[in-house]
C-alpha cells in the first residue's frame, strides 16, 4: 500500500509531518499518524535514493539569525515509514516555500521572502550540508500588484532535466532558467529568463516527461502559460485564463500538475475554491478547457496526482481537509470521492 506524507503550518493544531496509507483500489486515505514534529513545514522534498525527506521550515528567523528559514533533514525507516531527524541548516533566505532534489545529490530551495535560491549537497547518509551557494534574484520588482510585487519573491524551483532548472519569481514576473554546468557541485548558473506580463505573478510549474514543455500557473493574474523549452530558452506556445468564464471574483492560483501520461493538466484556484481542468494536445502542447469543479473545502493550496494517474489528492488549508478525487481516464474530469480532516495541509506527496 503506497505511503503518503502530509505537512503544513503548525499554528492551528498541526504538529509537523504525518504519514497516511493509500489504497489504490478505493482511493481511501487512512492512518494519519504524526511521524515528525517540526515547525512550519510548508513544503518538503523526498529523496528516495537515500531514504530521506527534507522539510522546508517556512520561517523568517532561525537559530538567532534573521531573514532566514531552514531545511531539516530526516531519515525514513523503510519498514514503518517513521522519520528520524538528522540535522537542520539555514537557507539564508526567508520563508523557504519550495524545493527540488537534483540527481539525488543536491537540494535546491526557493526562498519567498529572500527572493533567492539556496543550494545544498546531500551527504551519504541523507544529512544536508551547510549552504553551498545562494543566488539572489536581483531583478527589479514588477510592482504590477504593489502589495505583492514590491520585491523579488522566488516561489518555486524545479529541475527540467539533470542539466537545467527553472525558478518562478512572483515579485519580478520572471521565470529564471538555470544551468547545472558542473555535475560535481550544487551550483546553478543563471542562463536566461522568460518575462511574463506585469502583474502576472508566476508561481508553480508542471513539466512534461520529455522536458520539452513547461506549464506555468500565475498566482496573481490566474492564468496558465504553455511554454516550449529548448536549449535553455523558454518561448510561449499558448496561454489561457484559469478562471471560470465570466467570474471576476478575487482569486489566486496555487498549484499546477500534469497526469503521469501528460494528457490532462489541473490547477487549484484559491478564494473561489475551485480546480480547473484541461486536456493537453500532445502535438502542439496547447490546452483545451474541460471545466471547473469545487475543491470541496476552503483555500486549495496544494495537490498531488498519484503515480497511477487515477487520483488527485488536494489539501484545503483553511478548512483543514484533504479531498481525494478520482480522475476519469477518458475525459479527465474530477469527481470527489473522500474527505478527511487534517490540520492546515500545505504539502502532500507520495513515497513511490
Amino acid at each position: 500500500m503506497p505511503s503518503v506524507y502530509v505537512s503544513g503550518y503548525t499554528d492551528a493544531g498541526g504538529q509537523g509531518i504525518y504519514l497516511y496509507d493509500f489504497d489504490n483500489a478505493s482511493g481511501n486515505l487512512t492512518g494519519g499518524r504524526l511521524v515528525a514534529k517540526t515547525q512550519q513545514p510548508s513544503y518538503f522534498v523526498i529523496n528516495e535514493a537515500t531514504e530521506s525527506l527534507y522539510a522546508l521550515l517556512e520561517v523568517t528567523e532561525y537559530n538567532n539569525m534573521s531573514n532566514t528559514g531552514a531545511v531539516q533533514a530526516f531519515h525514513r525507516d523503510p519498514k514503518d515509514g517513521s522519520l528520524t531527524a538528522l540535522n537542520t541548516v539555514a537557507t539564508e533566505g526567508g520563508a523557504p516555500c519550495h524545493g527540488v532534489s537534483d540527481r539525488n545529490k543536491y537540494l535546491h530551495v526557493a526562498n519567498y521572502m529572500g527572493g533567492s535560491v539556496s543550494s545544498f549537497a546531500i551527504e551519504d547518509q541523507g544529512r544536508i550540508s551547510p549552504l553551498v551557494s545562494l543566488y539572489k534574484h536581483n531583478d527589479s520588482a514588477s510592482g504590477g500588484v504593489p502589495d505583492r510585487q514590491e520585491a523579488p519573491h522566488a516561489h518555486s524551483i524545479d529541475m527540467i532535466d539533470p542539466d537545467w532548472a527553472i525558478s518562478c519569481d512572483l515579485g519580478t514576473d520572471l521565470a529564471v532558467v538555470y544551468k547545472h554546468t558542473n555535475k560535481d557541485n550544487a551550483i546553478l548558473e543563471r542562463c536566461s529568463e522568460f518575462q511574463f506580463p506585469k502583474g502576472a505573478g508566476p508561481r508553480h510549474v508542471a513539466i512534461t516527461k520529455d522536458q520539452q514543455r513547461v506549464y506555468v500557473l500565475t498566482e496573481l493574474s490566474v492564468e496558465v502559460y504553455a511554454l516550449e523549452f529548448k536549449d535553455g530558452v523558454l518561448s510561449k506556445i499558448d496561454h489561457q485564463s484559469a478562471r471560470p468564464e465570466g467570474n471576476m471574483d478575487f482569486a489566486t492560483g496555487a498549484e499546477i500538475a500534469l497526469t503521469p501520461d501528460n494528457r490532462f493538466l489541473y490547477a487549484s484556484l484559491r478564494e473561489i475554491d475551485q480546480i480547473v481542468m484541461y486536456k493537453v494536445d500532445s502535438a502542439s502542447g496547447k490546452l483545451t478547457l474541460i471545466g471547473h469543479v469545487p475543491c470541496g473545502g476552503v483555500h486549495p493550496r496544494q495537490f498531488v496526482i498519484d503515480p497511477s494517474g487515477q487520483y488527485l489528492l488536494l489539501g484545503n488549508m483553511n478548512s483543514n481537509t484533504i479531498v481525494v478525487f478520482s480522475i476519469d481516464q477518458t475525459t479527465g474530469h474530477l469527481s470527489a470521492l473522500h474527505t478527511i480532516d487534517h490540520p492546515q495541509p500545505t504539502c502532500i506527496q507520495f513515497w513511490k
Side-chain angles (χ1 to χ4, degrees):
M1 187 174 288
S3 297
V4 175
Y5 288 87
V6 181
S7 69
Y9 294 120
T10 51
D11 50 12
Q15 299 183 65
I17 303 171
Y18 296 77
L19 173 61
Y20 289 88
D21 293 321
F22 185 75
D23 187 333
N24 278 327
S26 66
N28 280 328
L29 199 59
T30 57
R33 62 188 178 95
L34 180 69
V35 289
K37 185 177 284 191
T38 190
Q39 181 186 13
Q40 302 290 74
S42 68
Y43 194 81
F44 59 86
V45 177
I46 287 173
N47 186 334
E48 295 188 6
T50 56
E51 287 284 350
S52 14
L53 182 151
Y54 302 97
L56 310 187
L57 311 186
E58 194 175 325
V59 296
T60 54
E61 181 175 334
Y62 168 71
N63 202 22
N64 296 320
M65 295 184 291
S66 59
N67 301 316
T68 182
V71 179
Q72 187 171 15
F74 294 90
H75 173 73
R76 176 183 183 265
D77 186 326
K79 294 180 180 178
D80 63 8
S82 61
L83 300 176
T84 301
L86 297 173
N87 70 324
T88 307
V89 298
T91 61
E92 299 190 24
C97 59
H98 195 261
V100 67
S101 175
D102 173 3
R103 296 183 178 89
N104 295 318
K105 296 171 61 178
Y106 311 113
L107 180 73
H108 307 296
V109 175
N111 301 297
Y112 182 81
M113 294 306 296
S116 60
V117 174
S118 306
S119 297
F120 308 86
I122 296 172
E123 299 173 352
D124 289 344
Q125 303 303 314
R127 290 171 62 89
I128 194 78
S129 75
L131 183 73
V132 172
S133 69
L134 180 71
Y135 190 95
K136 293 187 177 181
H137 293 173
N138 289 323
D139 311 87
S140 298
S142 157
V145 180
D147 62 337
R148 296 294 311 280
Q149 296 184 306
E150 81 299 344
H153 293 301
H155 215 312
S156 61
I157 178 73
D158 293 91
M159 300 304 298
I160 298 180
D161 65 21
D163 295 326
W164 299 95
I166 179 173
S167 176
C168 286
D169 193 296
L170 181 146
T172 63
D173 285 322
L174 290 174
V176 180
V177 176
Y178 296 93
K179 189 169 187 180
H180 198 157
T181 56
N182 187 339
K183 297 178 182 180
D184 294 325
N185 65 42
I187 297 173
L188 299 174
E189 296 182 11
R190 181 168 175 167
C191 290
S192 68
E193 56 279 321
F194 179 86
Q195 179 71 64
F196 292 88
K198 190 174 182 178
R203 178 181 170 98
H204 281 183
V205 308
I207 301 168
T208 55
K209 278 187 175 181
D210 61 10
Q211 287 93 43
Q212 294 181 7
R213 293 176 186 138
V214 178
Y215 295 89
V216 181
L217 176 65
T218 63
E219 178 171 337
L220 304 179
S221 65
V222 197
E223 297 172 294
V224 175
Y225 281 75
L227 308 177
E228 180 184 27
F229 178 76
K230 185 176 182 180
D231 299 328
V233 176
L234 294 165
S235 55
K236 181 179 165 183
I237 298 171
D238 185 21
H239 93 278
Q240 296 193 21
S241 172
R243 295 174 175 275
E245 186 176 358
N247 186 320
M248 295 306 295
D249 293 340
F250 177 71
T252 56
E255 185 62 287
I256 185 169
L258 287 156
T259 52
D261 59 11
N262 292 173
R263 290 192 302 137
F264 304 111
L265 179 77
Y266 304 94
S268 56
L269 311 178
R270 297 172 295 187
E271 282 72 49
I272 61 173
D273 297 330
Q274 296 194 35
I275 307 169
V276 60
M277 307 169 288
Y278 297 98
K279 184 177 181 180
V280 181
D281 183 88
S282 60
S284 68
K286 292 185 177 182
L287 302 173
T288 300
L289 178 68
I290 297 170
H292 294 74
V293 295
C295 69
V298 180
H299 202 85
R301 178 180 169 115
Q302 193 262 353
F303 63 84
V304 66
I305 296 170
D306 86 296
S308 74
Q310 297 182 80
Y311 302 100
L312 184 151
L313 282 61
L314 179 139
N316 289 304
M317 190 179 83
N318 289 352
S319 57
N320 302 305
T321 55
I322 298 172
V323 182
V324 179
F325 294 84
S326 64
I327 301 174
D328 188 295
Q329 299 299 294
T330 302
T331 66
H333 199 278
L334 299 177
S335 299
L337 294 177
H338 315 290
T339 301
I340 65 168
D341 295 328
H342 185 95
Q344 287 187 295
T346 61
C347 185
I348 306 170
Q349 293 196 46
F350 281 82
W351 194 289
K352 299 175 185 177

